[in-house]
Amino acid sequence: MKKFIFFLFLLASFSFLNISEVNAKKLQAFLTYSSFYSPQQGSYLETYLSVYGKSVNFVKNQNGKYQATIQITLIFKQNDTIKDFKKYDLFSQEVEDTNKVNFNFVDQQRFALADGKYTMELLIGDKNSNQSGFKVKDEITIDYPKNQVNISGIELVESFKKSI
């Protein structure tokens, strides 16, 4: 009988864990970047962040609509010195019904960075979730030597339309 009760308790525990895992959303985001050189501005880096809309939590805002908020920190370091950073909130578009979220929301940032090697850190988290966010590091080299032909990064286009 004790084994049977233990088995039921164990089964109930697994069921409870599975239910909580199904209800928990895990933030999904994708970051890319490209470096560029402008004769007027010098070297700079653009970052492109895309957040999967169904992976974030929406809460009702002051307009009576639902909106997600992602907290983002981008840091660029050389050795132990911070050369540039931005900390900001990224807001999704407002929606009437969270069951109809079928979009990603995107963000682009630009950082003026001199030629050199950098460690880029991305800290990202869903402000409407009690789950901890995540941190990613990447090594970046920006190198546009003078008196040489150089090629900047490329920027891919998701869609386009003819302007009038």
mmCIF file of all heavy atoms in Angstrom, residues 128-150:
data_model
loop_
_atom_site.group_PDB
_atom_site.id
_atom_site.type_symbol
_atom_site.label_atom_id
_atom_site.label_comp_id
_atom_site.label_asym_id
_atom_site.label_seq_id
_atom_site.Cartn_x
_atom_site.Cartn_y
_atom_site.Cartn_z
ATOM 1 N N ASN A 128 7.613 41.051 -17.836
ATOM 2 C CA ASN A 128 6.332 40.563 -17.326
ATOM 3 C C ASN A 128 6.400 39.102 -16.899
ATOM 4 O O ASN A 128 5.375 38.436 -16.802
ATOM 5 C CB ASN A 128 5.239 40.745 -18.381
ATOM 6 C CG ASN A 128 5.103 42.185 -18.801
ATOM 7 O OD1 ASN A 128 5.187 43.083 -17.987
ATOM 8 N ND2 ASN A 128 4.921 42.417 -20.087
ATOM 9 N N SER A 129 7.593 38.598 -16.661
ATOM 10 C CA SER A 129 7.789 37.204 -16.275
ATOM 11 C C SER A 129 8.665 37.141 -15.032
ATOM 12 O O SER A 129 9.533 37.986 -14.834
ATOM 13 C CB SER A 129 8.471 36.437 -17.414
ATOM 14 O OG SER A 129 8.827 35.134 -17.010
ATOM 15 N N ASN A 130 8.448 36.118 -14.227
ATOM 16 C CA ASN A 130 9.316 35.928 -13.063
ATOM 17 C C ASN A 130 10.510 35.037 -13.404
ATOM 18 O O ASN A 130 11.350 34.794 -12.563
ATOM 19 C CB ASN A 130 8.531 35.366 -11.877
ATOM 20 C CG ASN A 130 7.842 34.061 -12.205
ATOM 21 O OD1 ASN A 130 8.011 33.515 -13.292
ATOM 22 N ND2 ASN A 130 7.041 33.569 -11.283
ATOM 23 N N GLN A 131 10.580 34.554 -14.648
ATOM 24 C CA GLN A 131 11.745 33.771 -15.072
ATOM 25 C C GLN A 131 12.921 34.713 -15.307
ATOM 26 O O GLN A 131 12.748 35.848 -15.758
ATOM 27 C CB GLN A 131 11.444 33.008 -16.365
ATOM 28 C CG GLN A 131 10.445 31.908 -16.203
ATOM 29 C CD GLN A 131 10.308 31.101 -17.492
ATOM 30 O OE1 GLN A 131 10.874 31.430 -18.525
ATOM 31 N NE2 GLN A 131 9.551 30.025 -17.420
ATOM 32 N N SER A 132 14.100 34.227 -14.983
ATOM 33 C CA SER A 132 15.281 35.052 -15.225
ATOM 34 C C SER A 132 15.560 35.106 -16.727
ATOM 35 O O SER A 132 15.265 34.174 -17.459
ATOM 36 C CB SER A 132 16.485 34.491 -14.470
ATOM 37 O OG SER A 132 16.766 33.191 -14.908
ATOM 38 N N GLY A 133 16.120 36.210 -17.156
ATOM 39 C CA GLY A 133 16.479 36.358 -18.554
ATOM 40 C C GLY A 133 17.760 35.608 -18.846
ATOM 41 O O GLY A 133 18.161 34.712 -18.109
ATOM 42 N N PHE A 134 18.419 35.988 -19.907
ATOM 43 C CA PHE A 134 19.676 35.327 -20.221
ATOM 44 C C PHE A 134 20.710 36.336 -20.681
ATOM 45 O O PHE A 134 20.387 37.471 -21.016
ATOM 46 C CB PHE A 134 19.500 34.189 -21.229
ATOM 47 C CG PHE A 134 18.839 34.573 -22.528
ATOM 48 C CD1 PHE A 134 19.576 35.030 -23.601
ATOM 49 C CD2 PHE A 134 17.468 34.461 -22.675
ATOM 50 C CE1 PHE A 134 18.976 35.370 -24.790
ATOM 51 C CE2 PHE A 134 16.851 34.792 -23.868
ATOM 52 C CZ PHE A 134 17.607 35.254 -24.928
ATOM 53 N N LYS A 135 21.959 35.885 -20.665
ATOM 54 C CA LYS A 135 23.106 36.715 -21.006
ATOM 55 C C LYS A 135 23.923 35.988 -22.062
ATOM 56 O O LYS A 135 24.184 34.795 -21.930
ATOM 57 C CB LYS A 135 23.944 36.957 -19.752
ATOM 58 C CG LYS A 135 25.177 37.787 -19.951
ATOM 59 C CD LYS A 135 25.886 37.954 -18.609
ATOM 60 C CE LYS A 135 27.151 38.735 -18.717
ATOM 61 N NZ LYS A 135 27.808 38.900 -17.412
ATOM 62 N N VAL A 136 24.325 36.726 -23.084
ATOM 63 C CA VAL A 136 25.116 36.156 -24.176
ATOM 64 C C VAL A 136 26.314 37.068 -24.426
ATOM 65 O O VAL A 136 26.183 38.289 -24.375
ATOM 66 C CB VAL A 136 24.267 36.048 -25.469
ATOM 67 C CG1 VAL A 136 25.084 35.481 -26.613
ATOM 68 C CG2 VAL A 136 23.021 35.229 -25.243
ATOM 69 N N LYS A 137 27.465 36.469 -24.684
ATOM 70 C CA LYS A 137 28.673 37.231 -25.020
ATOM 71 C C LYS A 137 29.161 36.805 -26.398
ATOM 72 O O LYS A 137 29.029 35.638 -26.781
ATOM 73 C CB LYS A 137 29.792 36.957 -24.012
ATOM 74 C CG LYS A 137 29.592 37.565 -22.666
ATOM 75 C CD LYS A 137 30.827 37.321 -21.804
ATOM 76 C CE LYS A 137 30.666 37.932 -20.441
ATOM 77 N NZ LYS A 137 31.861 37.765 -19.622
ATOM 78 N N ASP A 138 29.758 37.761 -27.108
ATOM 79 C CA ASP A 138 30.347 37.453 -28.401
ATOM 80 C C ASP A 138 31.540 38.386 -28.621
ATOM 81 O O ASP A 138 31.531 39.531 -28.173
ATOM 82 C CB ASP A 138 29.325 37.630 -29.524
ATOM 83 C CG ASP A 138 29.752 36.968 -30.819
ATOM 84 O OD1 ASP A 138 30.690 36.143 -30.802
ATOM 85 O OD2 ASP A 138 29.151 37.265 -31.865
ATOM 86 N N GLU A 139 32.546 37.888 -29.289
ATOM 87 C CA GLU A 139 33.724 38.687 -29.635
ATOM 88 C C GLU A 139 33.502 39.300 -31.014
ATOM 89 O O GLU A 139 33.128 38.606 -31.954
ATOM 90 C CB GLU A 139 34.987 37.825 -29.639
ATOM 91 C CG GLU A 139 35.301 37.172 -28.299
ATOM 92 C CD GLU A 139 35.559 38.170 -27.188
ATOM 93 O OE1 GLU A 139 36.215 39.205 -27.449
ATOM 94 O OE2 GLU A 139 35.098 37.920 -26.059
ATOM 95 N N ILE A 140 33.741 40.603 -31.109
ATOM 96 C CA ILE A 140 33.512 41.333 -32.353
ATOM 97 C C ILE A 140 34.787 42.070 -32.723
ATOM 98 O O ILE A 140 35.437 42.668 -31.863
ATOM 99 C CB ILE A 140 32.379 42.364 -32.177
ATOM 100 C CG1 ILE A 140 31.062 41.653 -31.891
ATOM 101 C CG2 ILE A 140 32.247 43.254 -33.397
ATOM 102 C CD1 ILE A 140 29.946 42.594 -31.532
ATOM 103 N N THR A 141 35.125 42.041 -34.010
ATOM 104 C CA THR A 141 36.257 42.823 -34.516
ATOM 105 C C THR A 141 35.738 43.787 -35.565
ATOM 106 O O THR A 141 35.067 43.375 -36.521
ATOM 107 C CB THR A 141 37.335 41.912 -35.129
ATOM 108 O OG1 THR A 141 37.792 41.001 -34.129
ATOM 109 C CG2 THR A 141 38.504 42.726 -35.659
ATOM 110 N N ILE A 142 36.057 45.048 -35.379
ATOM 111 C CA ILE A 142 35.741 46.076 -36.369
ATOM 112 C C ILE A 142 37.069 46.538 -36.934
ATOM 113 O O ILE A 142 37.945 46.972 -36.184
ATOM 114 C CB ILE A 142 34.966 47.246 -35.733
ATOM 115 C CG1 ILE A 142 33.642 46.743 -35.160
ATOM 116 C CG2 ILE A 142 34.735 48.358 -36.757
ATOM 117 C CD1 ILE A 142 32.861 47.790 -34.393
ATOM 118 N N ASP A 143 37.220 46.413 -38.258
ATOM 119 C CA ASP A 143 38.519 46.715 -38.862
ATOM 120 C C ASP A 143 38.311 47.283 -40.258
ATOM 121 O O ASP A 143 37.966 46.548 -41.190
ATOM 122 C CB ASP A 143 39.374 45.450 -38.920
ATOM 123 C CG ASP A 143 40.785 45.721 -39.397
ATOM 124 O OD1 ASP A 143 41.261 46.866 -39.266
ATOM 125 O OD2 ASP A 143 41.423 44.773 -39.897
ATOM 126 N N TYR A 144 38.514 48.582 -40.388
ATOM 127 C CA TYR A 144 38.441 49.258 -41.673
ATOM 128 C C TYR A 144 39.731 50.052 -41.878
ATOM 129 O O TYR A 144 39.796 51.250 -41.585
ATOM 130 C CB TYR A 144 37.207 50.187 -41.740
ATOM 131 C CG TYR A 144 35.913 49.405 -41.736
ATOM 132 C CD1 TYR A 144 35.166 49.283 -40.572
ATOM 133 C CD2 TYR A 144 35.467 48.771 -42.881
ATOM 134 C CE1 TYR A 144 33.983 48.565 -40.560
ATOM 135 C CE2 TYR A 144 34.285 48.038 -42.876
ATOM 136 C CZ TYR A 144 33.553 47.940 -41.711
ATOM 137 O OH TYR A 144 32.396 47.214 -41.710
ATOM 138 N N PRO A 145 40.802 49.376 -42.359
ATOM 139 C CA PRO A 145 42.093 50.055 -42.533
ATOM 140 C C PRO A 145 41.995 51.200 -43.552
ATOM 141 O O PRO A 145 41.270 51.113 -44.544
ATOM 142 C CB PRO A 145 43.017 48.953 -43.063
ATOM 143 C CG PRO A 145 42.324 47.669 -42.792
ATOM 144 C CD PRO A 145 40.864 47.972 -42.730
ATOM 145 N N LYS A 146 42.724 52.263 -43.257
ATOM 146 C CA LYS A 146 42.765 53.423 -44.150
ATOM 147 C C LYS A 146 43.553 53.062 -45.404
ATOM 148 O O LYS A 146 44.370 52.165 -45.413
ATOM 149 C CB LYS A 146 43.432 54.621 -43.454
ATOM 150 C CG LYS A 146 42.853 54.951 -42.093
ATOM 151 C CD LYS A 146 41.418 55.424 -42.188
ATOM 152 C CE LYS A 146 40.886 55.811 -40.832
ATOM 153 N NZ LYS A 146 39.770 55.026 -40.392
ATOM 154 N N ASN A 147 43.281 53.752 -46.492
ATOM 155 C CA ASN A 147 43.982 53.592 -47.769
ATOM 156 C C ASN A 147 43.870 52.185 -48.338
ATOM 157 O O ASN A 147 44.790 51.701 -48.993
ATOM 158 C CB ASN A 147 45.455 53.998 -47.638
ATOM 159 C CG ASN A 147 45.606 55.434 -47.161
ATOM 160 O OD1 ASN A 147 44.845 56.312 -47.573
ATOM 161 N ND2 ASN A 147 46.548 55.660 -46.276
ATOM 162 N N GLN A 148 42.777 51.505 -48.030
ATOM 163 C CA GLN A 148 42.492 50.188 -48.608
ATOM 164 C C GLN A 148 41.024 50.136 -49.002
ATOM 165 O O GLN A 148 40.197 50.855 -48.438
ATOM 166 C CB GLN A 148 42.725 49.062 -47.590
ATOM 167 C CG GLN A 148 44.138 48.673 -47.371
ATOM 168 C CD GLN A 148 44.218 47.431 -46.480
ATOM 169 O OE1 GLN A 148 43.216 46.854 -46.093
ATOM 170 N NE2 GLN A 148 45.428 47.032 -46.147
ATOM 171 N N VAL A 149 40.739 49.268 -49.943
ATOM 172 C CA VAL A 149 39.337 49.020 -50.273
ATOM 173 C C VAL A 149 38.785 48.102 -49.187
ATOM 174 O O VAL A 149 39.383 47.079 -48.855
ATOM 175 C CB VAL A 149 39.209 48.359 -51.664
ATOM 176 C CG1 VAL A 149 37.764 47.976 -51.933
ATOM 177 C CG2 VAL A 149 39.730 49.291 -52.742
ATOM 178 N N ASN A 150 37.656 48.491 -48.595
ATOM 179 C CA ASN A 150 37.023 47.717 -47.528
ATOM 180 C C ASN A 150 35.571 47.438 -47.880
ATOM 181 O O ASN A 150 34.952 48.189 -48.621
ATOM 182 C CB ASN A 150 37.060 48.497 -46.204
ATOM 183 C CG ASN A 150 38.458 48.683 -45.694
ATOM 184 O OD1 ASN A 150 39.071 47.733 -45.239
ATOM 185 N ND2 ASN A 150 38.970 49.908 -45.774
#
